[in-house]
Amino acid sequence: MKVMKFGGTSVGSAQRMKNVAQLIHDNNRNLVVLSAMSGTTNSLIEISDYYAKGNKESASAVVNILRNLYTKHIGELYATEQKKKEMSDFMETVFHEIMLLGAEPYTDNIGKAIVAKGEIMSTHMVTAYLEECGIKAQLLSAFDFMRTDQEGQPDMKYLHDALIPLIDSNPDAEIFITQGFICLNHEGHIDNLQRGGSDYTASLIGAAIRAEEIQIWTDIDGMHNNDPRFVDNTRPVPQLSFEEAAELAYFGAKILHPTCVLPAKFAGVPVKLLNTMEPQAKGTIINNQLSEENKIKAIAAKDNITAVKIVSSRMLLATGFLRKVFEIFETFHTSIDMVTTSEVGISMSIDNTDNLSKIAEELRKYGTVEIDRNMCIICVVGDLRMQNTGIESLVTDALKDIPIRMISYGGSEHNISFLIHEADKQKALQALSNKIF
Ligand code: ADP
Ligand code: ASP
Ligand code: MG
């Protein structure tokens, strides 16, 4: 069984849904994970924000825009009047439920229940289309198996124990469809796996059922060697190790949600990144194979980074100074991405600044604190084992005209990272591409 995940653009119109139906119907009983149609989650967030502010009128206006849009999609997707009617009625209940939720006093749970409707609509639409085409498709509700625990982490045991019987109890199903992104929390309320989290759903399911493969279908032919939104002439990378893919996803390669690599890696299930618009393209395979030797494979960038530096003469020859500093970040639930040290100071980068003022206040007890905002991490990924000489000089040479705040190397054998000003990001990415590829 394969797990096949289709993102928002891949199910973004009636025609795209028809293409997806063709791609998923091979001779395997695949399990298909769908995102909401592109734009829908944003609209649902807008609706719940209006409800949160008590602005029901604006919420209704956005509901009406969605209603018209989905009426158009239904008209285009189904051939028979019966299916058109069935699906229009279904959508009407969904929009009615959204309005009922909006009539209650607003809570976060209500907001999340509204946002979950996008995946519920797309999966019902595709399932109904497959049925109309004579394919036995079984829709599985993610709420029946995807749950998070008290720490907000996916409950893998529950997922495995709940999903396998659901699959087994539908022996006639030719294909299974389910929602990405949405889940229940440990209290049984509707929740989600964060924006872009459908990739995570696919990976969790693939690991839980030990799928033969996890396919992430999107709007580009695999992981490119640089960010195609900012750099010209990028090319797909044929193969990545799980570690390389995790670094790239974490450091900004939007094609993959950062959390999505780990479950697949631990279960040893290969992940393929494929293009719905160009299904015959090879894409990228992520597996346990050794990296191409002595090569840089790809570059990614992560914005909105803040650099924090603490300088203290008390650090000189003192033991326990690093521990004290890191403990402060831990106390305020802030994870650190990059770290560099000298005899008298430590520089760190963070992306969550919610508690920055409290962190800085604590740090000032130990030394002088400097904060730089609007920074960006440039992450270069490939085979950077110690014996491979020359790679660092190639990379730093490409960046010779760019002011660099931090360099991190040696934390793993496949990554060298630079902290620069966000304003220099595009120039840095393009310079690296020109030099390396
Ligand atoms: P989906 O809606 O299918 O989940 P996303 O928009 O989340 O799709 O991810 C696909 C997008 O990721 C691409 O359109 C591309 O612009 C962007 N992207 C960023 N970095 C990369 C990269 N290194 N390789 C491929 N795509 C990338
Ligand atoms: N629909 C959700 C989002 O837009 C989840 C996803 O697409 O992965 O974030
Ligand atoms: Mg995505």
Side-chain angles (χ1 to χ4, degrees):
M1 188 178 243
K2 286 184 295 225
V3 175
M4 306 172 84
K5 176 259 170 178
F6 292 84
T9 3
S10 300
V11 291
S13 67
Q15 187 52 49
R16 293 259 160 87
M17 286 187 171
K18 291 181 190 179
N19 296 349
V20 165
Q22 286 200 330
L23 290 172
I24 57 185
H25 189 49
D26 55 18
N27 289 324
N28 293 298
R29 298 171 80 224
N30 295 324
L31 198 157
V32 177
V33 175
L34 300 180
S35 291
M37 297 181 85
S38 54
T40 299
T41 306
N42 287 347
S43 298
L44 293 167
I45 289 173
E46 203 182 340
I47 292 167
S48 75
D49 284 349
Y50 280 130
Y51 283 136
K53 295 188 176 82
N55 184 350
K56 289 194 180 142
E57 210 177 303
S58 297
S60 301
V62 184
V63 170
N64 278 331
I65 293 172
L66 275 186
R67 183 183 272 123
N68 291 336
L69 203 60
Y70 277 81
T71 305
K72 178 175 158 283
H73 294 320
I74 287 170
E76 290 168 3
L77 184 55
Y78 304 102
T80 60
E81 287 311 312
Q82 185 203 338
K83 265 291 179 237
K84 285 185 192 184
K85 164 93 176 56
E86 187 190 306
M87 288 314 289
S88 303
D89 290 349
F90 173 76
M91 291 303 164
E92 215 25 69
T93 28
V94 171
F95 292 123
H96 185 65
E97 278 164 16
I98 293 177
M99 305 288 267
L100 287 179
L101 285 163
E104 291 176 40
Y106 186 84
T107 61
D108 266 1
N109 288 339
I110 287 190
K112 284 176 174 162
I114 292 174
V115 171
K117 298 292 188 195
E119 271 70 12
I120 293 175
M121 293 196 284
S122 64
T123 48
H124 275 83
M125 283 169 80
V126 170
T127 308
Y129 178 71
L130 290 166
E131 281 165 5
E132 200 185 55
C133 298
I135 299 164
K136 285 191 195 112
Q138 180 62 47
L139 178 60
L140 304 176
S141 169
F143 298 142
D144 290 337
F145 55 84
M146 196 59 81
R147 195 169 78 174
T148 52
D149 60 21
Q150 277 185 315
E151 272 81 52
Q153 296 305 314
D155 186 337
M156 282 305 280
K157 180 166 172 5
Y158 181 81
L159 168 57
H160 174 270
D161 293 351
L163 182 55
I164 303 273
L166 279 175
I167 293 172
D168 290 346
S169 62
N170 285 289
D172 292 339
E174 291 174 67
I175 209 148
F176 294 94
I177 309 283
T178 193
Q179 300 88 18
F181 177 60
I182 62 177
C183 62
L184 296 183
N185 67 15
H186 72 283
E187 289 173 323
H189 295 301
I190 294 177
D191 207 335
N192 61 61
L193 302 171
Q194 312 289 333
R195 292 306 305 267
S198 295
D199 297 344
Y200 198 20
T201 304
S203 177
L204 291 165
I205 292 179
I209 65 170
R210 300 277 151 162
E212 161 199 337
E213 186 172 285
I214 298 162
Q215 300 183 343
I216 307 285
W217 288 82
T218 180
D219 56 4
I220 188 163
D221 53 349
M223 176 75 79
H224 276 218
N225 58 9
N226 207 329
D227 195 322
R229 295 167 299 179
F230 302 98
V231 175
D232 302 326
N233 302 322
T234 59
R235 277 196 310 269
V237 182
Q239 185 270 341
L240 289 167
S241 69
F242 286 112
E243 289 76 14
E244 290 166 337
E247 299 274 7
L248 290 166
Y250 186 74
F251 288 110
K254 190 186 169 229
I255 185 170
L256 259 194
H257 194 265
T259 50
C260 139
V261 180
L262 273 193
K265 177 187 150 145
F266 288 136
V269 181
V271 178
K272 265 194 191 151
L273 308 179
L274 296 160
N275 188 354
T276 328
M277 280 42 127
E278 210 191 316
Q280 61 298 338
K282 278 215 166 88
T284 299
I285 179 142
I286 304 168
N287 55 23
N288 269 324
Q289 265 169 37
L290 270 184
S291 160
E292 259 182 280
E293 283 197 18
N294 206 0
K295 281 242 169 78
I296 293 175
K297 286 200 176 161
I299 298 156
K302 186 176 177 188
D303 295 325
N304 273 321
I305 302 293
T306 299
V308 182
K309 176 150 74 180
I310 170 161
V311 177
S312 168
S313 51
R314 281 160 64 187
M315 187 177 164
L316 202 64
L317 301 175
T319 56
F321 189 80
L322 279 176
R323 181 177 56 79
K324 271 188 210 130
V325 168
F326 290 155
E327 255 172 17
I328 294 171
F329 285 85
E330 190 190 345
T331 309
F332 294 105
H333 307 289
T334 302
S335 66
I336 299 169
D337 284 333
M338 281 174 76
V339 186
T340 54
T341 64
S342 78
E343 256 327 288
V344 291
I346 313 169
S347 263
M348 291 148 290
S349 81
I350 58 173
D351 68 352
N352 175 356
T353 51
D354 291 352
N355 291 315
L356 181 58
S357 53
K358 291 181 208 148
I359 290 170
E361 201 179 304
E362 281 302 306
L363 288 176
R364 284 195 186 98
K365 294 179 184 163
Y366 300 97
T368 312
V369 176
E370 243 176 69
I371 291 170
D372 293 309
R373 292 171 200 271
N374 302 322
M375 308 295 286
C376 159
I377 296 176
I378 303 281
C379 174
V380 178
V381 167
D383 178 16
L384 296 168
R385 284 171 298 171
M386 189 177 168
Q387 65 267 33
N388 298 334
T389 52
I391 294 191
E392 308 77 21
S393 63
L394 187 73
V395 174
T396 44
D397 192 39
L399 297 177
K400 66 180 187 299
D401 296 326
I402 308 234
I404 295 170
R405 170 74 168 72
M406 288 167 73
I407 301 179
S408 167
Y409 174 69
S412 77
E413 289 185 324
H414 34 253
N415 154 14
I416 174 164
S417 304
F418 299 84
L419 190 72
I420 62 169
H421 291 293
E422 227 170 69
D424 292 327
K425 166 173 134 175
Q426 183 149 11
K427 193 175 159 199
L429 288 176
Q430 189 68 61
L432 284 163
S433 252
N434 296 348
K435 187 90 190 170
I436 297 166
F437 304 122

